Amino acid sequence: STNTSSPSYLNHARHFLSLKLTTKNYLLWKTQLVQFLRGQKLLGFVDCSNPCPPLTITVDDHTNPQSNPVAIAWQDQDQLIRSLLISSLSESVIPIVVGLSL
């Protein structure tokens, strides 16, 4: 299991993260974000303790690998979390992170 939060819940999570990251409030922002993600059992996506499963799997001893549905679900959840993180940035911080590889 990759998480316990439904995608629709994460779409509304922005309302629970009232503090946006600026260049002066990192510790406060991080405290808010980490507690929220930990409570939703999603912190592993951010701290790398829940890495992406293999993208392909072999089923019934077939030699052709198939897409791993667990990896697809993990990637979907990861994208929602990335969206949540971006929405928690102030307008002054967004230009700093644009173009960073995640």
Side-chain angles (χ1 to χ4, degrees), residues 18-30 32 85 87-94 97:
S18 59
L19 189 64
K20 291 193 178 268
L21 178 64
T22 68
T23 57
K24 298 179 182 185
N25 69 348
Y26 173 73
L27 288 178
L28 294 172
W29 173 84
K30 178 184 174 188
Q32 170 188 251
L85 290 172
S87 72
S88 76
L89 304 177
S90 69
E91 287 184 31
S92 65
V93 173
I94 290 177
V97 300

Side-chain angles (χ1 to χ4, degrees), residues 32-102:
Q32 170 188 251
L33 190 70
V34 167
Q35 297 308 312
F36 175 80
L37 292 174
R38 184 176 288 135
Q40 298 305 309
K41 298 180 180 25
L42 298 171
L43 188 59
F45 285 85
V46 177
D47 70 8
C48 299
S49 64
N50 180 15
C52 185
L55 298 177
T56 59
I57 55 174
T58 303
V59 179
D60 297 328
D61 295 327
H62 289 101
T63 56
N64 295 332
Q66 297 180 4
S67 294
N68 182 354
V70 175
I72 293 168
W74 187 97
Q75 289 175 325
D76 291 345
Q77 185 70 72
D78 185 61
Q79 289 303 306
L80 285 170
I81 294 167
R82 287 178 188 217
S83 175
L84 175 69
L85 290 172
I86 291 168
S87 72
S88 76
L89 304 177
S90 69
E91 287 184 31
S92 65
V93 173
I94 290 177
I96 297 169
V97 300
V98 167
L100 294 178
S101 61
L102 302 173

